[in-house]
Amino acid sequence: MRSAPDYLATRLAINVLGGDFASRINMNLREDKGYSYGGGAFIRYFPSAAVFRAFSSVRSDVTKESLVELVREIEGLAARGITEAELELAKTSDILSLPARFANATSTLASFRELTYYDLPLDWW
């Protein structure tokens, strides 16, 4: 849930797995294997639940291999966790993207709505 105590840790782990360009999924499927132009993962939060999604558009001749790699990355995150370097990159990425949430009136309103939707304090950001 969005209100879970481990929300921030989960958010950083998802960035490592598939939320950033340098994520494990993207580096594996795009850079290492050349199966895809890109791929990733995210968690869509709701007030009382969340949905995890991992994805990539891949060449049809490597669909099976891509799914095997995708599962391997997810299981690897669960089994081995993340490195200190990956954690620092995820934190830096998260921090540097924060100003964009308030870059204009529309994004500021969306950030405020998020606080209201999840019943978070006004100083959460």
Side-chain angles (χ1 to χ4, degrees):
M1 291 176 27
R2 177 66 173 76
S3 60
D6 66 348
Y7 166 75
L8 288 174
T10 302
R11 178 176 162 153
L12 293 173
I14 288 299
N15 283 350
V16 169
L17 178 65
D20 291 328
F21 180 81
S23 71
R24 291 181 183 183
I25 291 172
N26 197 53
M27 290 295 106
N28 183 341
L29 296 180
R30 176 190 165 115
E31 301 298 316
D32 295 343
K33 305 288 186 301
Y35 293 167
S36 171
Y37 185 71
F42 64 88
I43 295 179
R44 167 72 191 213
Y45 290 94
F46 300 96
S48 62
V51 175
F52 167 77
R53 180 177 179 205
F55 62 92
S56 184
S57 296
V58 300
R59 297 188 335 253
S60 60
D61 64 319
V62 292
T63 301
K64 176 187 171 190
E65 294 84 354
S66 299
L67 284 171
V68 168
E69 291 299 319
L70 195 58
V71 170
R72 188 176 69 79
E73 293 296 348
I74 295 166
E75 290 175 343
L77 181 71
R80 295 183 304 280
I82 60 177
T83 67
E84 195 63 38
E86 288 174 319
L87 178 61
E88 287 307 311
L89 182 61
K91 284 180 181 179
T92 299
S93 175
D94 217 31
I95 291 167
L96 292 177
S97 69
L98 186 59
R101 290 185 167 273
F102 305 96
N104 57 47
T106 302
S107 60
T108 300
L109 178 60
S111 295
F112 178 75
R113 273 195 337 241
E114 187 175 341
L115 296 177
T116 304
Y117 183 70
Y118 295 116
D119 196 28
L120 297 169
L122 289 176
D123 64 351
W124 191 89
W125 294 112

